[in-house]
Amino acid sequence: MCGRYTITISLEELMLRYMIDETSVPFHRPKYNVAPGQFIFAVIHDGKRNRLGELKWGLIPPWADDPKIGYMMINARAETAADKPAFRELLKRKRCIIPADSFYEWQKEDGGKRKQPMRILKRDRSVFSIAGLYETWLSPDGEKISSCTILTTEPNDVVAPIHDRMPVILRPENEALWLDRSMQDSKRLRTLFVPYPERELEAYPVGAAVGNVRNDDSSLIAPNKVEGQMELW
Protein backbone atom coordinates (compact mmCIF):
# COMPACT_ATOMS: atom_id res chain seq x y z
CA MET A 1 0.00 0.00 0.00
CA CYS A 2 0.95 3.65 -0.09
CA GLY A 3 0.04 5.37 3.15
CA ARG A 4 2.39 8.35 3.48
CA TYR A 5 4.24 10.63 1.09
CA THR A 6 5.87 14.06 0.74
CA ILE A 7 5.36 17.08 -1.49
CA THR A 8 7.91 19.72 -0.58
CA ILE A 9 8.17 22.04 -3.59
CA SER A 10 6.47 25.44 -3.76
CA LEU A 11 3.04 26.06 -5.24
CA GLU A 12 4.65 28.02 -8.08
CA GLU A 13 6.97 25.12 -8.91
CA LEU A 14 4.03 22.73 -8.84
CA MET A 15 2.01 24.87 -11.23
CA LEU A 16 4.96 25.16 -13.60
CA ARG A 17 5.57 21.40 -13.52
CA TYR A 18 1.97 20.64 -14.57
CA MET A 19 1.48 23.66 -16.87
CA ILE A 20 -1.24 25.22 -14.72
CA ASP A 21 -1.97 28.92 -15.29
CA GLU A 22 -4.09 29.61 -12.22
CA THR A 23 -5.49 27.84 -9.19
CA SER A 24 -7.91 28.50 -6.34
CA VAL A 25 -5.50 26.90 -3.87
CA PRO A 26 -4.57 29.87 -1.67
CA PHE A 27 -1.43 28.60 0.01
CA HIS A 28 0.96 25.67 0.16
CA ARG A 29 3.76 24.87 2.54
CA PRO A 30 6.14 21.93 2.21
CA LYS A 31 4.55 18.73 3.51
CA TYR A 32 6.81 15.99 4.81
CA ASN A 33 4.20 13.58 6.14
CA VAL A 34 1.03 13.57 4.03
CA ALA A 35 -1.43 11.06 5.50
CA PRO A 36 -4.83 9.51 4.68
CA GLY A 37 -7.79 11.65 5.64
CA GLN A 38 -6.00 14.87 4.72
CA PHE A 39 -6.83 17.09 1.77
CA ILE A 40 -4.08 16.64 -0.80
CA PHE A 41 -3.07 18.23 -4.08
CA ALA A 42 -4.39 16.60 -7.22
CA VAL A 43 -4.26 17.46 -10.92
CA ILE A 44 -7.16 16.81 -13.30
CA HIS A 45 -7.86 17.85 -16.88
CA ASP A 46 -11.17 19.63 -17.50
CA GLY A 47 -11.14 18.99 -21.24
CA LYS A 48 -9.24 22.18 -22.00
CA ARG A 49 -6.45 22.50 -19.47
CA ASN A 50 -4.91 21.01 -16.36
CA ARG A 51 -6.36 22.14 -13.05
CA LEU A 52 -4.86 21.91 -9.57
CA GLY A 53 -7.10 21.42 -6.56
CA GLU A 54 -7.48 19.49 -3.33
CA LEU A 55 -9.10 16.11 -2.75
CA LYS A 56 -9.56 14.21 0.48
CA TRP A 57 -7.30 11.16 0.55
CA GLY A 58 -9.55 8.13 0.99
CA LEU A 59 -12.20 7.50 -1.65
CA ILE A 60 -15.84 7.87 -0.59
CA PRO A 61 -18.15 6.13 -3.11
CA PRO A 62 -21.48 7.84 -3.93
CA TRP A 63 -23.41 4.99 -2.30
CA ALA A 64 -21.57 5.25 1.03
CA ASP A 65 -23.62 5.93 4.16
CA ASP A 66 -20.63 7.07 6.19
CA PRO A 67 -17.70 9.09 4.82
CA LYS A 68 -15.38 7.22 7.20
CA ILE A 69 -15.32 4.41 4.63
CA GLY A 70 -12.68 6.52 2.91
CA TYR A 71 -10.09 5.36 5.44
CA MET A 72 -10.49 1.86 4.04
CA MET A 73 -10.11 3.04 0.44
CA ILE A 74 -6.88 5.02 0.41
CA ASN A 75 -5.44 2.63 -2.17
CA ALA A 76 -6.82 0.62 -5.08
CA ARG A 77 -5.06 -2.30 -6.76
CA ALA A 78 -4.44 -1.20 -10.34
CA GLU A 79 -4.65 -4.77 -11.67
CA THR A 80 -8.27 -5.19 -10.54
CA ALA A 81 -9.61 -1.61 -10.56
CA ALA A 82 -11.48 -2.15 -13.84
CA ASP A 83 -13.38 -5.05 -12.25
CA LYS A 84 -14.35 -3.41 -8.94
CA PRO A 85 -17.71 -1.58 -8.74
CA ALA A 86 -16.20 1.22 -6.63
CA PHE A 87 -13.47 1.96 -9.20
CA ARG A 88 -14.64 0.67 -12.59
CA GLU A 89 -16.38 3.85 -13.82
CA LEU A 90 -13.80 6.11 -12.22
CA LEU A 91 -11.06 4.42 -14.22
CA LYS A 92 -12.92 5.39 -17.37
CA ARG A 93 -13.68 9.03 -16.61
CA LYS A 94 -12.35 10.28 -13.26
CA ARG A 95 -8.59 9.91 -13.26
CA CYS A 96 -6.22 12.28 -11.52
CA ILE A 97 -2.55 12.80 -10.79
CA ILE A 98 -1.26 13.15 -7.25
CA PRO A 99 2.07 15.01 -7.25
CA ALA A 100 4.74 13.77 -4.85
CA ASP A 101 8.48 13.88 -4.41
CA SER A 102 8.80 10.76 -2.23
CA PHE A 103 6.75 8.17 -0.41
CA TYR A 104 7.31 6.13 2.73
CA GLU A 105 7.02 2.41 3.39
CA TRP A 106 7.84 0.39 6.48
CA GLN A 107 10.29 -2.49 6.12
CA LYS A 108 9.81 -5.42 8.49
CA GLU A 109 12.89 -6.46 10.46
CA ASP A 110 13.69 -8.93 13.23
CA GLY A 111 11.09 -11.38 11.97
CA GLY A 112 8.42 -8.70 11.80
CA LYS A 113 8.91 -7.45 15.36
CA ARG A 114 10.35 -4.15 14.17
CA LYS A 115 9.50 -1.88 11.26
CA GLN A 116 12.02 0.51 9.77
CA PRO A 117 10.49 3.47 7.86
CA MET A 118 12.06 3.99 4.47
CA ARG A 119 11.86 7.00 2.17
CA ILE A 120 11.63 6.18 -1.55
CA LEU A 121 12.32 8.89 -4.12
CA LYS A 122 13.70 9.57 -7.56
CA ARG A 123 17.46 9.70 -7.82
CA ASP A 124 17.28 13.18 -9.34
CA ARG A 125 14.95 14.34 -6.48
CA SER A 126 12.32 15.55 -8.96
CA VAL A 127 8.54 15.51 -8.54
CA PHE A 128 6.68 12.49 -9.90
CA SER A 129 3.06 11.75 -10.74
CA ILE A 130 1.11 9.10 -8.84
CA ALA A 131 -1.95 7.74 -10.65
CA GLY A 132 -5.19 8.28 -8.76
CA LEU A 133 -8.95 8.08 -9.11
CA TYR A 134 -11.42 10.59 -7.70
CA GLU A 135 -15.09 10.83 -6.84
CA THR A 136 -17.60 13.26 -5.31
CA TRP A 137 -19.81 12.16 -2.42
CA LEU A 138 -23.00 13.96 -1.40
CA SER A 139 -24.40 13.38 2.09
CA PRO A 140 -28.14 13.32 2.84
CA ASP A 141 -27.85 16.82 4.34
CA GLY A 142 -26.07 18.22 1.28
CA GLU A 143 -22.44 18.04 2.37
CA LYS A 144 -20.15 17.51 -0.63
CA ILE A 145 -16.74 15.84 -0.35
CA SER A 146 -14.41 15.27 -3.29
CA SER A 147 -12.05 12.40 -2.49
CA CYS A 148 -9.45 10.20 -4.13
CA THR A 149 -7.55 6.94 -3.96
CA ILE A 150 -4.01 6.03 -5.03
CA LEU A 151 -3.49 3.16 -7.47
CA THR A 152 -0.85 0.60 -6.52
CA THR A 153 1.01 -2.06 -8.46
CA GLU A 154 3.70 -4.69 -8.02
CA PRO A 155 6.98 -3.37 -6.58
CA ASN A 156 10.18 -2.90 -8.53
CA ASP A 157 13.55 -4.16 -7.28
CA VAL A 158 14.08 -1.10 -5.08
CA VAL A 159 10.74 -1.38 -3.29
CA ALA A 160 10.36 -5.18 -3.20
CA PRO A 161 12.70 -5.68 -0.18
CA ILE A 162 10.65 -3.06 1.67
CA HIS A 163 7.03 -3.72 0.71
CA ASP A 164 4.96 -5.89 -1.62
CA ARG A 165 3.18 -2.96 -3.29
CA MET A 166 4.14 0.47 -4.61
CA PRO A 167 2.17 3.39 -6.07
CA VAL A 168 1.64 3.55 -9.81
CA ILE A 169 4.09 6.25 -10.87
CA LEU A 170 3.41 7.57 -14.36
CA ARG A 171 6.15 8.26 -16.84
CA PRO A 172 6.05 11.97 -17.82
CA GLU A 173 5.18 11.07 -21.41
CA ASN A 174 2.08 9.18 -20.19
CA GLU A 175 0.64 11.89 -17.94
CA ALA A 176 -1.49 13.52 -20.66
CA LEU A 177 -2.91 10.13 -21.67
CA TRP A 178 -3.85 9.35 -18.07
CA LEU A 179 -5.65 12.68 -17.65
CA ASP A 180 -7.41 12.55 -21.04
CA ARG A 181 -11.11 12.08 -20.31
CA SER A 182 -11.78 10.84 -23.83
CA MET A 183 -9.49 7.86 -23.23
CA GLN A 184 -11.70 5.08 -21.85
CA ASP A 185 -9.86 2.03 -23.16
CA SER A 186 -9.11 0.09 -19.98
CA LYS A 187 -6.71 -2.24 -21.78
CA ARG A 188 -4.57 0.66 -22.94
CA LEU A 189 -4.69 2.27 -19.50
CA ARG A 190 -3.52 -0.99 -17.94
CA THR A 191 -0.28 -0.70 -19.87
CA LEU A 192 0.58 2.20 -17.56
CA PHE A 193 0.28 0.08 -14.42
CA VAL A 194 3.83 -1.19 -14.45
CA PRO A 195 6.43 -0.74 -11.70
CA TYR A 196 8.46 2.43 -12.16
CA PRO A 197 12.00 1.71 -13.43
CA GLU A 198 14.18 0.84 -10.43
CA ARG A 199 17.23 2.51 -11.97
CA GLU A 200 15.50 5.88 -11.41
CA LEU A 201 14.60 5.31 -7.75
CA GLU A 202 16.47 4.94 -4.50
CA ALA A 203 15.50 4.35 -0.87
CA TYR A 204 17.01 5.13 2.51
CA PRO A 205 15.99 4.73 6.16
CA VAL A 206 14.48 7.61 8.11
CA GLY A 207 13.60 8.09 11.76
CA ALA A 208 10.58 6.63 13.55
CA ALA A 209 9.02 10.10 13.98
CA VAL A 210 7.40 9.79 10.56
CA GLY A 211 5.05 7.24 12.08
CA ASN A 212 3.19 10.00 13.91
CA VAL A 213 1.01 12.09 11.57
CA ARG A 214 1.39 15.11 13.87
CA ASN A 215 5.05 15.30 12.91
CA ASP A 216 5.57 17.26 9.72
CA ASP A 217 8.92 18.99 9.21
CA SER A 218 12.10 18.53 7.22
CA SER A 219 13.76 16.42 9.92
CA LEU A 220 11.53 13.51 8.84
CA ILE A 221 13.42 13.08 5.57
CA ALA A 222 16.88 13.15 7.12
CA PRO A 223 18.73 9.83 6.58
CA ASN A 224 18.73 7.66 9.67
CA LYS A 225 21.87 5.52 9.99
CA VAL A 226 20.94 1.88 10.50
CA GLU A 227 23.53 -0.42 12.02
CA GLY A 228 25.21 -2.51 9.35
CA GLN A 229 23.88 -0.37 6.52
CA MET A 230 26.54 1.75 4.84
CA GLU A 231 24.88 3.25 1.78
CA LEU A 232 21.64 4.13 0.06
CA TRP A 233 19.79 1.56 -2.01
Side-chain angles (χ1 to χ4, degrees), residues 59-62 90 93-94 133-137 145-148:
L59 191 86
I60 308 171
L90 305 186
R93 57 189 178 86
K94 290 188 176 181
L133 306 174
Y134 70 96
E135 182 59 281
T136 299
W137 177 79
I145 301 177
S146 295
S147 61
C148 64

Side-chain angles (χ1 to χ4, degrees), residues 72-100:
M72 296 185 289
M73 302 181 74
I74 65 170
N75 292 162
R77 294 178 69 93
E79 302 92 330
T80 59
D83 303 318
K84 301 292 184 180
F87 308 127
R88 184 167 52 236
E89 292 303 314
L90 305 186
L91 186 59
K92 292 180 180 179
R93 57 189 178 86
K94 290 188 176 181
R95 302 185 297 271
C96 64
I97 281 173
I98 298 163

Side-chain angles (χ1 to χ4, degrees), residues 9-10 16 23 34 44 93 124 153 161 188 197 213:
I9 65 172
S10 69
L16 182 62
T23 180
V34 183
I44 67 168
R93 57 189 178 86
D124 64 5
T153 188
R188 187 173 179 188
V213 298

